[in-house]
Amino acid sequence: MSFPLLTATAAVPAVGAILTAAVPAARRTAAKWLALTVSLVTLVLAGVVFARFEPGGDRYQLTESHSWIKDFGVRYELGVDGIGVALIALTALLIPFIVLAGWHDADPLETHSKRWRPTQGFFALILMVEAMVILSFEATDVFLFYILFEAMLIPMYFLIGGFGDRAHSGTDENAAAQRSYAAVKFLLYNLVGGLIMLAAVIGLYVVAGNFSLTEIAEARANGSLEMATNTERLLFLGFFFAFAVKAPLWPLHTWLPNAMGEATAPVAVLITAVVDKVGTFAMLRFCLGLFPEASKWATPAIIVLALISIVYGALLAVGQRDIKRLVAYASISHFGFIILGIFAMTSQGQSGATLYMVNHGISTAALMLVAGFLISRRGSRLIADYGGVQKVAPVLAGTFLIGGLATLSLPGLAPFVSEFLVLVGTFARYPVAGIVATTGIVLAALYVLVLYQRTMTGPVKEEVRAMPDLRPRELAVVAPLIAVLLFLGVFPKPLTDVVNPAVRHTMSDVQRTDPQPEVPVQNVEAAK
């Protein structure tokens, strides 16, 4: 039997989470180093998965299949395509930086209420989320995916509610209430979406007789499985609703600013750069793969919602006074671009959407983690409490600027490639939607540059005069992320080679081809 590489890639952080949680309370530093080591081993395994994946080979590779709940046809079935491989690599890449950035975020906190935060639990929960997210990118059994989709909410709930940001205004009781509200809102929104998805999963089983994504797709292709039009549309809506909450898509987005605002900066990165990608990934794998006709039927409405997300998120980011909430609303706008690319139903749009998932994860991690370092020095998330930081902490200001420029998709940085492909793919089929989406680019430049101007330039405020620059541990977090942004900005080929064949399979699922350019024949001949 071949080595179960996909299982191992998810099992290592799961076992590491258990071991980290078991470290004695007096050995906090040991728990941190154990978590970091486990995350690095997982990164190595993810690198092996990436290296062993053959872009020109079978659609799903490194497959594993074992009977799980035999009476209901549920199997432990894994396999990766190019999209899954890219997102596994993203997840495994970011977790070590999340662990390193949160090195002191869960240290014991003594206040007048004598509240104590278990360091081991913080890092164990991060590793458990990593295991579930990686396994969700590998699952080709719909029921297995649903279990993971719901289960990852539990550790995320405790990370948001139990380990909130220390920078807040008001009393400790008020801060705890705000964290609790954000955690409960996150949980309820996603639970409601998950319950609706559960009904759709059961309906799919009733119609198809099993949960295997590959078997259902094969049955539909050879004509042995037919779904009534209304049935397919209802099942599609059940799946899509859950994924739109996770993504998050307007108007189901309101939990995200609260969750990112109250969580620590590393946990905020975990939310938007890692966990939320499960929603957009699932739209490609399950919505388009299982319900191609319903996907085309719903496309006009989804494109409108995506455009609203792009413009609405960017406008609210412009008006924010809180640094972390600004990044949250910017992420809502970016997820609008991702969903727009998916449902543009063009190869450029879907390739761009997949690259956008990866590049948004890296750029948001860079910006949010530097913002977290900034906030930890001043003890405030309010933009108005900063000014002149670049004069006292130039390296911090410089890395903050690069993270911001990546967020606005500056040419030469990785997000530009993905945003350009999304817009090209959208223009090819829906030119009006492409024009509306470009307003998000202008607004992104506005909120990023205004944020930098208000926090980093101008007279040095007295409260930041003694602010230290980035420390070696913090540089070790930020520098590699910036290097990846630069590398993928000028040479995205390693990712596009892996992603493009998977996109072609997805386009085949929905029986779509790219629109042909409308170029007069005589002009072509004249050009020759």
Side-chain angles (χ1 to χ4, degrees), residues 311-330:
V311 178
Y312 173 85
L315 284 173
L316 264 65
V318 171
Q320 287 303 305
R321 297 181 297 171
D322 183 310
I323 297 174
K324 291 169 71 177
R325 289 179 70 89
L326 185 151
V327 179
Y329 280 109

mmCIF file with all atom_site columns, all heavy atoms in Angstrom, residues 311-330:
data_model
loop_
_atom_site.group_PDB
_atom_site.id
_atom_site.type_symbol
_atom_site.label_atom_id
_atom_site.label_alt_id
_atom_site.label_comp_id
_atom_site.label_asym_id
_atom_site.label_entity_id
_atom_site.label_seq_id
_atom_site.pdbx_PDB_ins_code
_atom_site.Cartn_x
_atom_site.Cartn_y
_atom_site.Cartn_z
_atom_site.occupancy
_atom_site.B_iso_or_equiv
_atom_site.pdbx_formal_charge
_atom_site.auth_seq_id
_atom_site.auth_comp_id
_atom_site.auth_asym_id
_atom_site.auth_atom_id
_atom_site.pdbx_PDB_model_num
ATOM 1   N N   . VAL A 1 311 ? -17.718 46.717 -4.211 1.00 0.00 ? 311 VAL A N   1
ATOM 2   C CA  . VAL A 1 311 ? -17.863 48.159 -4.028 1.00 0.00 ? 311 VAL A CA  1
ATOM 3   C C   . VAL A 1 311 ? -18.211 48.495 -2.574 1.00 0.00 ? 311 VAL A C   1
ATOM 4   O O   . VAL A 1 311 ? -17.634 49.411 -1.981 1.00 0.00 ? 311 VAL A O   1
ATOM 5   C CB  . VAL A 1 311 ? -18.938 48.716 -4.986 1.00 0.00 ? 311 VAL A CB  1
ATOM 6   C CG1 . VAL A 1 311 ? -19.142 50.215 -4.770 1.00 0.00 ? 311 VAL A CG1 1
ATOM 7   C CG2 . VAL A 1 311 ? -18.541 48.437 -6.434 1.00 0.00 ? 311 VAL A CG2 1
ATOM 8   N N   . TYR A 1 312 ? -19.142 47.762 -2.005 1.00 0.00 ? 312 TYR A N   1
ATOM 9   C CA  . TYR A 1 312 ? -19.574 48.002 -0.622 1.00 0.00 ? 312 TYR A CA  1
ATOM 10  C C   . TYR A 1 312 ? -18.423 47.818 0.363  1.00 0.00 ? 312 TYR A C   1
ATOM 11  O O   . TYR A 1 312 ? -18.192 48.665 1.239  1.00 0.00 ? 312 TYR A O   1
ATOM 12  C CB  . TYR A 1 312 ? -20.723 47.051 -0.294 1.00 0.00 ? 312 TYR A CB  1
ATOM 13  C CG  . TYR A 1 312 ? -21.170 47.045 1.145  1.00 0.00 ? 312 TYR A CG  1
ATOM 14  C CD1 . TYR A 1 312 ? -22.099 47.972 1.612  1.00 0.00 ? 312 TYR A CD1 1
ATOM 15  C CD2 . TYR A 1 312 ? -20.682 46.099 2.035  1.00 0.00 ? 312 TYR A CD2 1
ATOM 16  C CE1 . TYR A 1 312 ? -22.521 47.959 2.938  1.00 0.00 ? 312 TYR A CE1 1
ATOM 17  C CE2 . TYR A 1 312 ? -21.090 46.073 3.356  1.00 0.00 ? 312 TYR A CE2 1
ATOM 18  C CZ  . TYR A 1 312 ? -22.014 47.004 3.805  1.00 0.00 ? 312 TYR A CZ  1
ATOM 19  O OH  . TYR A 1 312 ? -22.420 46.983 5.113  1.00 0.00 ? 312 TYR A OH  1
ATOM 20  N N   . GLY A 1 313 ? -17.688 46.713 0.220  1.00 0.00 ? 313 GLY A N   1
ATOM 21  C CA  . GLY A 1 313 ? -16.570 46.472 1.123  1.00 0.00 ? 313 GLY A CA  1
ATOM 22  C C   . GLY A 1 313 ? -15.512 47.552 1.023  1.00 0.00 ? 313 GLY A C   1
ATOM 23  O O   . GLY A 1 313 ? -14.970 48.020 2.039  1.00 0.00 ? 313 GLY A O   1
ATOM 24  N N   . ALA A 1 314 ? -15.204 47.971 -0.202 1.00 0.00 ? 314 ALA A N   1
ATOM 25  C CA  . ALA A 1 314 ? -14.188 49.008 -0.394 1.00 0.00 ? 314 ALA A CA  1
ATOM 26  C C   . ALA A 1 314 ? -14.649 50.353 0.166  1.00 0.00 ? 314 ALA A C   1
ATOM 27  O O   . ALA A 1 314 ? -13.865 51.083 0.794  1.00 0.00 ? 314 ALA A O   1
ATOM 28  C CB  . ALA A 1 314 ? -13.858 49.139 -1.874 1.00 0.00 ? 314 ALA A CB  1
ATOM 29  N N   . LEU A 1 315 ? -15.925 50.706 -0.048 1.00 0.00 ? 315 LEU A N   1
ATOM 30  C CA  . LEU A 1 315 ? -16.431 51.981 0.482  1.00 0.00 ? 315 LEU A CA  1
ATOM 31  C C   . LEU A 1 315 ? -16.388 52.011 2.001  1.00 0.00 ? 315 LEU A C   1
ATOM 32  O O   . LEU A 1 315 ? -16.011 53.024 2.608  1.00 0.00 ? 315 LEU A O   1
ATOM 33  C CB  . LEU A 1 315 ? -17.865 52.205 -0.010 1.00 0.00 ? 315 LEU A CB  1
ATOM 34  C CG  . LEU A 1 315 ? -18.034 52.642 -1.469 1.00 0.00 ? 315 LEU A CG  1
ATOM 35  C CD1 . LEU A 1 315 ? -19.507 52.659 -1.848 1.00 0.00 ? 315 LEU A CD1 1
ATOM 36  C CD2 . LEU A 1 315 ? -17.411 54.029 -1.692 1.00 0.00 ? 315 LEU A CD2 1
ATOM 37  N N   . LEU A 1 316 ? -16.778 50.910 2.632  1.00 0.00 ? 316 LEU A N   1
ATOM 38  C CA  . LEU A 1 316 ? -16.735 50.881 4.092  1.00 0.00 ? 316 LEU A CA  1
ATOM 39  C C   . LEU A 1 316 ? -15.308 50.870 4.617  1.00 0.00 ? 316 LEU A C   1
ATOM 40  O O   . LEU A 1 316 ? -15.036 51.410 5.689  1.00 0.00 ? 316 LEU A O   1
ATOM 41  C CB  . LEU A 1 316 ? -17.510 49.671 4.627  1.00 0.00 ? 316 LEU A CB  1
ATOM 42  C CG  . LEU A 1 316 ? -18.959 50.000 5.029  1.00 0.00 ? 316 LEU A CG  1
ATOM 43  C CD1 . LEU A 1 316 ? -19.782 50.416 3.824  1.00 0.00 ? 316 LEU A CD1 1
ATOM 44  C CD2 . LEU A 1 316 ? -19.612 48.829 5.755  1.00 0.00 ? 316 LEU A CD2 1
ATOM 45  N N   . ALA A 1 317 ? -14.388 50.279 3.864  1.00 0.00 ? 317 ALA A N   1
ATOM 46  C CA  . ALA A 1 317 ? -12.979 50.320 4.270  1.00 0.00 ? 317 ALA A CA  1
ATOM 47  C C   . ALA A 1 317 ? -12.466 51.752 4.267  1.00 0.00 ? 317 ALA A C   1
ATOM 48  O O   . ALA A 1 317 ? -11.697 52.151 5.155  1.00 0.00 ? 317 ALA A O   1
ATOM 49  C CB  . ALA A 1 317 ? -12.140 49.451 3.336  1.00 0.00 ? 317 ALA A CB  1
ATOM 50  N N   . VAL A 1 318 ? -12.893 52.538 3.277  1.00 0.00 ? 318 VAL A N   1
ATOM 51  C CA  . VAL A 1 318 ? -12.457 53.942 3.202  1.00 0.00 ? 318 VAL A CA  1
ATOM 52  C C   . VAL A 1 318 ? -12.859 54.708 4.459  1.00 0.00 ? 318 VAL A C   1
ATOM 53  O O   . VAL A 1 318 ? -12.113 55.548 4.965  1.00 0.00 ? 318 VAL A O   1
ATOM 54  C CB  . VAL A 1 318 ? -13.059 54.616 1.949  1.00 0.00 ? 318 VAL A CB  1
ATOM 55  C CG1 . VAL A 1 318 ? -12.810 56.124 1.972  1.00 0.00 ? 318 VAL A CG1 1
ATOM 56  C CG2 . VAL A 1 318 ? -12.475 54.008 0.681  1.00 0.00 ? 318 VAL A CG2 1
ATOM 57  N N   . GLY A 1 319 ? -14.039 54.412 5.005  1.00 0.00 ? 319 GLY A N   1
ATOM 58  C CA  . GLY A 1 319 ? -14.553 55.177 6.133  1.00 0.00 ? 319 GLY A CA  1
ATOM 59  C C   . GLY A 1 319 ? -14.193 54.634 7.504  1.00 0.00 ? 319 GLY A C   1
ATOM 60  O O   . GLY A 1 319 ? -14.659 55.179 8.514  1.00 0.00 ? 319 GLY A O   1
ATOM 61  N N   . GLN A 1 320 ? -13.372 53.594 7.578  1.00 0.00 ? 320 GLN A N   1
ATOM 62  C CA  . GLN A 1 320 ? -13.078 52.979 8.871  1.00 0.00 ? 320 GLN A CA  1
ATOM 63  C C   . GLN A 1 320 ? -12.093 53.796 9.703  1.00 0.00 ? 320 GLN A C   1
ATOM 64  O O   . GLN A 1 320 ? -11.162 54.408 9.181  1.00 0.00 ? 320 GLN A O   1
ATOM 65  C CB  . GLN A 1 320 ? -12.521 51.571 8.677  1.00 0.00 ? 320 GLN A CB  1
ATOM 66  C CG  . GLN A 1 320 ? -13.553 50.560 8.242  1.00 0.00 ? 320 GLN A CG  1
ATOM 67  C CD  . GLN A 1 320 ? -14.709 50.462 9.204  1.00 0.00 ? 320 GLN A CD  1
ATOM 68  O OE1 . GLN A 1 320 ? -14.536 50.233 10.402 1.00 0.00 ? 320 GLN A OE1 1
ATOM 69  N NE2 . GLN A 1 320 ? -15.916 50.635 8.671  1.00 0.00 ? 320 GLN A NE2 1
ATOM 70  N N   . ARG A 1 321 ? -12.298 53.766 11.002 1.00 0.00 ? 321 ARG A N   1
ATOM 71  C CA  . ARG A 1 321 ? -11.356 54.388 11.946 1.00 0.00 ? 321 ARG A CA  1
ATOM 72  C C   . ARG A 1 321 ? -10.493 53.345 12.649 1.00 0.00 ? 321 ARG A C   1
ATOM 73  O O   . ARG A 1 321 ? -9.507  53.684 13.286 1.00 0.00 ? 321 ARG A O   1
ATOM 74  C CB  . ARG A 1 321 ? -12.130 55.193 12.994 1.00 0.00 ? 321 ARG A CB  1
ATOM 75  C CG  . ARG A 1 321 ? -12.921 56.359 12.407 1.00 0.00 ? 321 ARG A CG  1
ATOM 76  C CD  . ARG A 1 321 ? -13.636 57.124 13.499 1.00 0.00 ? 321 ARG A CD  1
ATOM 77  N NE  . ARG A 1 321 ? -14.622 56.279 14.188 1.00 0.00 ? 321 ARG A NE  1
ATOM 78  C CZ  . ARG A 1 321 ? -15.271 56.622 15.283 1.00 0.00 ? 321 ARG A CZ  1
ATOM 79  N NH1 . ARG A 1 321 ? -15.043 57.805 15.833 1.00 0.00 ? 321 ARG A NH1 1
ATOM 80  N NH2 . ARG A 1 321 ? -16.149 55.807 15.830 1.00 0.00 ? 321 ARG A NH2 1
ATOM 81  N N   . ASP A 1 322 ? -10.882 52.080 12.551 1.00 0.00 ? 322 ASP A N   1
ATOM 82  C CA  . ASP A 1 322 ? -10.191 50.954 13.199 1.00 0.00 ? 322 ASP A CA  1
ATOM 83  C C   . ASP A 1 322 ? -9.352  50.232 12.149 1.00 0.00 ? 322 ASP A C   1
ATOM 84  O O   . ASP A 1 322 ? -9.862  49.838 11.096 1.00 0.00 ? 322 ASP A O   1
ATOM 85  C CB  . ASP A 1 322 ? -11.240 50.015 13.809 1.00 0.00 ? 322 ASP A CB  1
ATOM 86  C CG  . ASP A 1 322 ? -10.629 48.852 14.572 1.00 0.00 ? 322 ASP A CG  1
ATOM 87  O OD1 . ASP A 1 322 ? -9.750  48.170 14.015 1.00 0.00 ? 322 ASP A OD1 1
ATOM 88  O OD2 . ASP A 1 322 ? -11.056 48.608 15.719 1.00 0.00 ? 322 ASP A OD2 1
ATOM 89  N N   . ILE A 1 323 ? -8.064  50.054 12.410 1.00 0.00 ? 323 ILE A N   1
ATOM 90  C CA  . ILE A 1 323 ? -7.157  49.462 11.427 1.00 0.00 ? 323 ILE A CA  1
ATOM 91  C C   . ILE A 1 323 ? -7.599  48.053 11.043 1.00 0.00 ? 323 ILE A C   1
ATOM 92  O O   . ILE A 1 323 ? -7.666  47.694 9.868  1.00 0.00 ? 323 ILE A O   1
ATOM 93  C CB  . ILE A 1 323 ? -5.713  49.433 11.969 1.00 0.00 ? 323 ILE A CB  1
ATOM 94  C CG1 . ILE A 1 323 ? -5.203  50.856 12.209 1.00 0.00 ? 323 ILE A CG1 1
ATOM 95  C CG2 . ILE A 1 323 ? -4.789  48.697 10.999 1.00 0.00 ? 323 ILE A CG2 1
ATOM 96  C CD1 . ILE A 1 323 ? -3.847  50.915 12.882 1.00 0.00 ? 323 ILE A CD1 1
ATOM 97  N N   . LYS A 1 324 ? -7.930  47.238 12.039 1.00 0.00 ? 324 LYS A N   1
ATOM 98  C CA  . LYS A 1 324 ? -8.257  45.845 11.759 1.00 0.00 ? 324 LYS A CA  1
ATOM 99  C C   . LYS A 1 324 ? -9.597  45.705 11.043 1.00 0.00 ? 324 LYS A C   1
ATOM 100 O O   . LYS A 1 324 ? -9.759  44.852 10.173 1.00 0.00 ? 324 LYS A O   1
ATOM 101 C CB  . LYS A 1 324 ? -8.237  45.036 13.058 1.00 0.00 ? 324 LYS A CB  1
ATOM 102 C CG  . LYS A 1 324 ? -6.835  44.879 13.633 1.00 0.00 ? 324 LYS A CG  1
ATOM 103 C CD  . LYS A 1 324 ? -6.858  44.319 15.030 1.00 0.00 ? 324 LYS A CD  1
ATOM 104 C CE  . LYS A 1 324 ? -7.252  42.873 15.032 1.00 0.00 ? 324 LYS A CE  1
ATOM 105 N NZ  . LYS A 1 324 ? -7.205  42.298 16.395 1.00 0.00 ? 324 LYS A NZ  1
ATOM 106 N N   . ARG A 1 325 ? -10.540 46.538 11.387 1.00 0.00 ? 325 ARG A N   1
ATOM 107 C CA  . ARG A 1 325 ? -11.822 46.490 10.682 1.00 0.00 ? 325 ARG A CA  1
ATOM 108 C C   . ARG A 1 325 ? -11.665 46.973 9.235  1.00 0.00 ? 325 ARG A C   1
ATOM 109 O O   . ARG A 1 325 ? -12.378 46.515 8.345  1.00 0.00 ? 325 ARG A O   1
ATOM 110 C CB  . ARG A 1 325 ? -12.864 47.320 11.428 1.00 0.00 ? 325 ARG A CB  1
ATOM 111 C CG  . ARG A 1 325 ? -13.312 46.686 12.735 1.00 0.00 ? 325 ARG A CG  1
ATOM 112 C CD  . ARG A 1 325 ? -14.324 47.563 13.449 1.00 0.00 ? 325 ARG A CD  1
ATOM 113 N NE  . ARG A 1 325 ? -15.605 47.604 12.759 1.00 0.00 ? 325 ARG A NE  1
ATOM 114 C CZ  . ARG A 1 325 ? -16.609 46.750 12.973 1.00 0.00 ? 325 ARG A CZ  1
ATOM 115 N NH1 . ARG A 1 325 ? -16.470 45.773 13.855 1.00 0.00 ? 325 ARG A NH1 1
ATOM 116 N NH2 . ARG A 1 325 ? -17.736 46.861 12.316 1.00 0.00 ? 325 ARG A NH2 1
ATOM 117 N N   . LEU A 1 326 ? -10.735 47.900 9.006  1.00 0.00 ? 326 LEU A N   1
ATOM 118 C CA  . LEU A 1 326 ? -10.458 48.329 7.640  1.00 0.00 ? 326 LEU A CA  1
ATOM 119 C C   . LEU A 1 326 ? -9.973  47.146 6.805  1.00 0.00 ? 326 LEU A C   1
ATOM 120 O O   . LEU A 1 326 ? -10.433 46.931 5.676  1.00 0.00 ? 326 LEU A O   1
ATOM 121 C CB  . LEU A 1 326 ? -9.416  49.448 7.642  1.00 0.00 ? 326 LEU A CB  1
ATOM 122 C CG  . LEU A 1 326 ? -9.093  50.105 6.288  1.00 0.00 ? 326 LEU A CG  1
ATOM 123 C CD1 . LEU A 1 326 ? -8.658  51.559 6.494  1.00 0.00 ? 326 LEU A CD1 1
ATOM 124 C CD2 . LEU A 1 326 ? -7.995  49.361 5.533  1.00 0.00 ? 326 LEU A CD2 1
ATOM 125 N N   . VAL A 1 327 ? -9.045  46.365 7.361  1.00 0.00 ? 327 VAL A N   1
ATOM 126 C CA  . VAL A 1 327 ? -8.545  45.192 6.638  1.00 0.00 ? 327 VAL A CA  1
ATOM 127 C C   . VAL A 1 327 ? -9.665  44.185 6.423  1.00 0.00 ? 327 VAL A C   1
ATOM 128 O O   . VAL A 1 327 ? -9.739  43.522 5.386  1.00 0.00 ? 327 VAL A O   1
ATOM 129 C CB  . VAL A 1 327 ? -7.359  44.554 7.389  1.00 0.00 ? 327 VAL A CB  1
ATOM 130 C CG1 . VAL A 1 327 ? -6.862  43.311 6.653  1.00 0.00 ? 327 VAL A CG1 1
ATOM 131 C CG2 . VAL A 1 327 ? -6.217  45.554 7.542  1.00 0.00 ? 327 VAL A CG2 1
ATOM 132 N N   . ALA A 1 328 ? -10.570 44.075 7.391  1.00 0.00 ? 328 ALA A N   1
ATOM 133 C CA  . ALA A 1 328 ? -11.699 43.149 7.263  1.00 0.00 ? 328 ALA A CA  1
ATOM 134 C C   . ALA A 1 328 ? -12.608 43.546 6.102  1.00 0.00 ? 328 ALA A C   1
ATOM 135 O O   . ALA A 1 328 ? -12.995 42.700 5.280  1.00 0.00 ? 328 ALA A O   1
ATOM 136 C CB  . ALA A 1 328 ? -12.487 43.101 8.568  1.00 0.00 ? 328 ALA A CB  1
ATOM 137 N N   . TYR A 1 329 ? -12.959 44.822 6.018  1.00 0.00 ? 329 TYR A N   1
ATOM 138 C CA  . TYR A 1 329 ? -13.819 45.259 4.914  1.00 0.00 ? 329 TYR A CA  1
ATOM 139 C C   . TYR A 1 329 ? -13.097 45.174 3.575  1.00 0.00 ? 329 TYR A C   1
ATOM 140 O O   . TYR A 1 329 ? -13.721 44.895 2.540  1.00 0.00 ? 329 TYR A O   1
ATOM 141 C CB  . TYR A 1 329 ? -14.329 46.673 5.174  1.00 0.00 ? 329 TYR A CB  1
ATOM 142 C CG  . TYR A 1 329 ? -15.493 46.716 6.132  1.00 0.00 ? 329 TYR A CG  1
ATOM 143 C CD1 . TYR A 1 329 ? -15.354 47.223 7.419  1.00 0.00 ? 329 TYR A CD1 1
ATOM 144 C CD2 . TYR A 1 329 ? -16.742 46.214 5.756  1.00 0.00 ? 329 TYR A CD2 1
ATOM 145 C CE1 . TYR A 1 329 ? -16.426 47.242 8.308  1.00 0.00 ? 329 TYR A CE1 1
ATOM 146 C CE2 . TYR A 1 329 ? -17.811 46.230 6.637  1.00 0.00 ? 329 TYR A CE2 1
ATOM 147 C CZ  . TYR A 1 329 ? -17.646 46.747 7.904  1.00 0.00 ? 329 TYR A CZ  1
ATOM 148 O OH  . TYR A 1 329 ? -18.700 46.749 8.774  1.00 0.00 ? 329 TYR A OH  1
ATOM 149 N N   . ALA A 1 330 ? -11.792 45.411 3.588  1.00 0.00 ? 330 ALA A N   1
ATOM 150 C CA  . ALA A 1 330 ? -11.023 45.219 2.353  1.00 0.00 ? 330 ALA A CA  1
ATOM 151 C C   . ALA A 1 330 ? -11.077 43.763 1.908  1.00 0.00 ? 330 ALA A C   1
ATOM 152 O O   . ALA A 1 330 ? -11.183 43.470 0.705  1.00 0.00 ? 330 ALA A O   1
ATOM 153 C CB  . ALA A 1 330 ? -9.577  45.652 2.570  1.00 0.00 ? 330 ALA A CB  1
#
